[in-house]
Amino acid sequence: MRFRSAEWFYGRDELGFQHRAALRSMGLDVERFKGRPVIGIANSWSELNNCDMNLRSVAEAVKRGVIAAGGLPLEFPTISLGEEFMKPTAMLYRNLMAMDLEETLRANPIDAVVLLCNCDKTVPAQLMGAASANLPAIQLNGGPKPSGNWHGIEVGSGTDMWKYWDEYRLGKISDSDWQELERCISCGVGACNVMGTASTMAGISEALGMMLPGSSSISATEAHRLQVAEASGRRIVEMAEQDLRPAQIMTEGAFENAIRVCMAIGGSTNAIVHLVAIAGRLGIDLQLARFDELSRSTPWLANVKPSGRYLMAEFHAAGGIPAVLQEISPSLRTEVLTVTGKTLGENLAGAVCYNRDVIWPASAPLAREGAIAVLRGNLAPNGAILKTSAASDHLMTHTGKAVVFENYQDMLNRIEHVDLEVTATSVLVLKNSGPKGVPGMPEWGSIPIPAKLQRAGVKDLVRISDARMSGTSYGTVVLHVCPEAAAGGLLAIVRTGDQIRLNVTGRSLDLLVSDAEIERRLVSFQPTASEHLRGYPRLYIDHVLQADQGCDFDFLRPKNAAELRFVAPVVGRS
């Protein structure tokens, strides 16, 4: 059979009769689509997720493209991971969304799928599920929201909120101004309009070859967004006919390209966890050392917030991801295949930059090395992450005394206390905020600078945790410390007053305590028992891997070639 859906509709006669009748009940002309592919449209639209609110209209445009190319589009919902409302973090449910997609594709007569995403975790979750199912797939995001304007100043979602929140805490902004900013900063549907996690992951999907070239940065409100949706619908029908699958596109070379793009655009640190997880679904072991190696040989080029000056609208107008790829093309694996059916190199023909203040040339970059560094040392033997492009130069080599918070609530309770013993040289440490510890590894790593230090002119401190950080945040923040405290990592036994040394040039992070004292503390360590005794959170705690392995579930990450196989269902009576 040419397409897997034929087993449902034209296999055993009584089953074919039943399934064709089901299509007819939906008002579809079965004969018109005989021998044609069934295209699933996985829609993460939800009123619980403001980022993805335009995906209904995007889905309709995709359907037009699918029908025009002769395919049968069938839209279906998945769970939606909204960063704003979902607590403790959408990251807790990324793996669940990936399972939702994979199992929907497995169980239904779907030959190929269009993945509609936008908010941070929806992009990697869909790529993880699509990688495991390995049916022809193309991804399409909803795009960043328009730019807001406050007091004549262009403001970006997330990044400028953190900036002005500090000013509000210090009394530099009035209550009325703060309320006005609230109305301006979220100026429409779409993802964050800075190079946060949503824009980073969309750009990475394009760099991986899973989105049409130039499509990831189109605004949510532009007509071009719907035009590229229709084009994606047409293209997925061709991909189904060509049997072009994710495993042929998301190769080891494609992941190396994606890592370089992440570094060049000043991308979110969250991308590292997600890329490791996506690659792991395909049996590709992405080591943190490879990220650091590629970062050291990739220039930072995108002058976009939070690391730079501009917003996503200017980035897209300057040429977007194709312009960045063109700049670093000598270092790329341009022979890799993409959803266009062409190689990356073929796609880049004619890609140019239109604004050198937004996308700098590789010959004269914003920085000679990429935006993210991987640290190791006794405090993070399996790795930790620092976004150097958003950090302070004077803290790149620093030794200071730890101020320790045992958990997130402890930090909230004490961070602004007048008696907190903290100075400009202190190192703030947050424990028990990793994958198992919460669970879910929330974006708690950007610990606030105490107001009493800010009033004294201190703008940044070294901060260390096993948590993540919003891609819209900035500062000298060490993240993803691995192993996490809840898993018995050395972070668990750090005490207030301990000396900690950070050396970004040497890529090291060390607790300056004697080996004998470390051993004594570890012997007496007991992890805090979780309150979650059942349900999905319990499943998560029991099976989640550490950050260096992408925080996927151990039973979803194939260990050998046999486990890579996608097992089709038995098509019989339900």
Side-chain angles (χ1 to χ4, degrees), residues 323-500:
V324 173
L325 287 165
Q326 186 70 277
E327 281 299 319
I328 61 174
S329 58
S331 301
L332 297 177
R333 300 278 294 275
T334 55
E335 79 282 1
V336 296
L337 198 60
T338 71
V339 290
T340 65
K342 300 177 182 178
T343 66
L344 178 66
E346 290 173 316
N347 289 345
L348 288 181
V352 295
C353 174
Y354 299 103
N355 188 334
R356 283 301 183 193
D357 197 35
V358 179
I359 300 173
W360 290 36
S363 58
L366 288 158
R368 291 290 173 188
E369 294 189 5
I372 297 173
V374 178
L375 311 171
R376 293 188 187 275
N378 68 353
L379 196 52
N382 294 346
I385 305 299
L386 174 70
K387 188 171 182 177
T388 55
S389 64
S392 300
D393 290 341
H394 72 281
L395 293 174
M396 293 294 94
T397 301
H398 180 79
T399 301
K401 290 184 178 180
V403 177
V404 175
F405 303 102
E406 291 299 320
N407 52 53
Y408 184 60
Q409 192 59 53
D410 181 35
M411 184 274 291
L412 293 178
N413 291 343
R414 296 169 49 217
I415 192 67
E416 298 294 15
H417 201 284
V418 293
D419 294 332
L420 182 70
E421 295 185 6
V422 60
T423 71
T425 62
S426 295
V427 176
L428 306 185
V429 176
L430 173 63
K431 302 179 183 179
N432 296 304
S433 299
K436 293 178 181 291
V438 180
M441 200 182 182
E443 294 177 341
W444 295 344
S446 185
I447 305 167
I449 306 299
K452 68 179 182 180
L453 290 185
Q454 290 200 52
R455 292 189 185 97
V458 177
K459 300 298 183 184
D460 197 9
L461 294 173
V462 173
R463 289 159 276 176
I464 300 171
S465 76
D466 46 13
R468 295 178 301 111
M469 177 175 80
S470 168
T472 66
S473 296
Y474 49 86
T476 310
V477 185
V478 178
L479 306 155
H480 311 183
V481 170
C482 189
E484 64 175 304
L490 210 60
L491 188 70
I493 55 96
V494 178
R495 296 177 179 174
T496 293
D498 288 346
Q499 292 275 346
I500 293 177

Side-chain angles (χ1 to χ4, degrees), residues 261-295:
V261 165
C262 181
M263 302 307 170
I265 62 177
S268 168
T269 51
N270 290 313
I272 294 182
V273 174
H274 298 321
L275 277 169
V276 171
I278 299 162
R281 292 295 186 97
L282 293 162
I284 299 171
D285 186 18
L286 271 187
Q287 295 288 321
L288 290 185
R290 189 60 176 148
F291 284 85
D292 197 61
E293 179 184 348
L294 294 174
S295 179

Side-chain angles (χ1 to χ4, degrees), residues 238-284:
E238 296 170 348
M239 290 177 66
E241 292 169 341
Q242 297 163 358
D243 199 26
L244 179 55
R245 299 177 180 240
Q248 297 167 265
I249 297 169
M250 292 193 287
T251 60
E252 188 171 347
F255 280 103
E256 291 197 357
N257 291 342
I259 293 170
R260 286 196 184 276
V261 165
C262 181
M263 302 307 170
I265 62 177
S268 168
T269 51
N270 290 313
I272 294 182
V273 174
H274 298 321
L275 277 169
V276 171
I278 299 162
R281 292 295 186 97
L282 293 162
I284 299 171

Side-chain angles (χ1 to χ4, degrees), residues 95 435-436 539-546 551-554:
N95 299 347
K436 293 178 181 291
L539 173 75
Y540 189 97
I541 293 167
D542 290 343
H543 292 282
V544 70
L545 298 168
Q546 288 292 287
C551 299
D552 202 357
F553 290 153
D554 52 12

